[in-house]
Amino acid sequence: GNSVTQMEGPVTLSEEAFLTINCTYTATGYPSLFWYVQYPGEGLQLLLKATKADDKGSNKGFEATYRKETTSFHLEKGSVQVSDSAVYFCALRRTNAGKSTFGDGTTLTVKP
Amino acid sequence: DTEVTQTPKHLVMGMTNKKSLKCEQHMGHRAMYWYKQKAKKPPELMFVYSYEKLSINESVPSRFSPECPNSSLLNLHLHALQPEDSALYLCASSQEELAGVNEQFFGPGTRLTVL
């Protein structure tokens, strides 16, 4: 079956630090990969996505590259801000399937 | 309009009450979803509607009853809930159920407390 494994949190960083949140997946075929962010008291918002190998998704300074050889989709940001404090979910969807498979989520806290 | 709206934002109900959660989208999406999310956990899929027909029921107890009156609306009817059903209920939509390249758009959720 499909699965997504995220690095365990919580992660605490100082403002302007470099962020990496690891995500690896197991899936048959060629899934699309997503990072969603959930701010306190809100629903999930799409942060970025990649639909095929070697694609790089980017948004708001965040980046992730679809690495088929290592089945990974690690999230990175060069300089985090306090406003980036949230829970980050890595997810996959297979090409012809409606269900999303989510990782357990990683809580990021950025301190001033 | 790229928004999914949900009402109410908060709901407190007793175990004998009947209530409904509502979800609406005007993006022309043909797939709509209900998720349940417990604190510090990922969303768990409950139901999927595709073209207004129930496509997936993830073995959800019958005290939860979904309804899709039209392509823009999704309801979740609640009856005889248990305290362990307290959670954030998220609605989502996507262009097509089986187009995995497309992301899901999530609403802000309804925070449900069952007393």
Side-chain angles (χ1 to χ4, degrees):
Chain A
N2 302 327
S3 67
V4 176
T5 302
Q6 287 182 235
M7 66 183 284
E8 291 190 21
V11 174
T12 302
L13 296 173
S14 297
E15 207 164 21
E16 300 184 3
F18 185 85
L19 169 71
T20 300
I21 301 178
N22 290 338
C23 171
T24 57
Y25 68 90
T26 302
T28 54
Y30 303 94
S32 294
L33 302 174
F34 305 85
W35 277 101
Y36 289 90
V37 59
Q38 186 173 31
Y39 297 102
E42 297 184 13
L44 278 69
Q45 301 174 28
L46 177 71
L47 184 58
L48 53 84
K49 72 177 188 181
T51 59
K52 59 184 187 299
D54 300 325
D55 266 3
K56 177 187 278 189
S58 61
N59 185 28
K60 300 181 182 178
F62 291 89
E63 292 183 341
T65 301
Y66 189 139
R67 300 285 188 203
K68 188 161 177 62
E69 64 276 13
T70 54
T71 61
S72 65
F73 193 54
H74 305 321
L75 183 68
E76 296 183 336
K77 186 176 186 184
S79 175
V80 294
Q81 305 300 312
V82 172
S83 56
D84 294 326
S85 298
V87 181
Y88 292 80
F89 291 98
C90 185
L92 70 82
R93 290 186 83 190
R94 289 177 56 196
T95 303
N96 294 312
K99 297 171 65 169
S100 291
T101 300
F102 290 91
D104 285 342
T106 302
T107 300
L108 171 66
T109 301
V110 180
K111 298 194 171 181
Chain B
D1 183 2
T2 58
E3 198 179 21
V4 176
T5 59
Q6 290 187 245
T7 55
K9 194 170 176 61
H10 300 277
L11 179 62
V12 179
M13 60 187 291
M15 290 190 283
T16 58
N17 292 155
K18 285 186 181 181
K19 297 287 184 183
S20 296
L21 309 185
K22 295 185 186 304
C23 172
E24 192 166 1
Q25 57 87 15
H26 295 287
M27 294 178 278
H29 289 172
R30 304 318 299 262
M32 297 186 77
Y33 311 77
W34 279 116
Y35 286 89
K36 173 182 176 181
Q37 187 181 27
K38 292 285 217 178
K40 300 190 185 300
K41 294 292 186 184
E44 298 173 30
L45 184 66
M46 300 175 72
F47 303 104
V48 181
Y49 272 83
S50 178
Y51 287 85
E52 302 159 47
K53 288 186 167 42
L54 184 64
S55 174
I56 296 176
N57 176 344
E58 291 285 278
S59 303
V60 178
S62 60
R63 57 185 184 270
F64 295 91
S65 175
E67 178 196 20
C68 189
N70 61 56
S71 61
S72 300
L73 293 174
L74 187 66
N75 298 322
L76 186 63
H77 303 297
L78 314 173
H79 173 55
L81 295 193
Q82 304 297 308
E84 59 265 29
D85 296 322
S86 299
L88 182 68
Y89 287 84
L90 293 165
C91 175
S93 70
S94 67
Q95 282 188 329
E96 298 273 344
E97 180 192 359
L98 298 182
V101 297
N102 294 319
E103 65 269 28
Q104 294 175 305
F105 290 75
F106 285 83
T110 294
R111 176 73 60 190
L112 174 67
T113 302
V114 182
L115 301 177

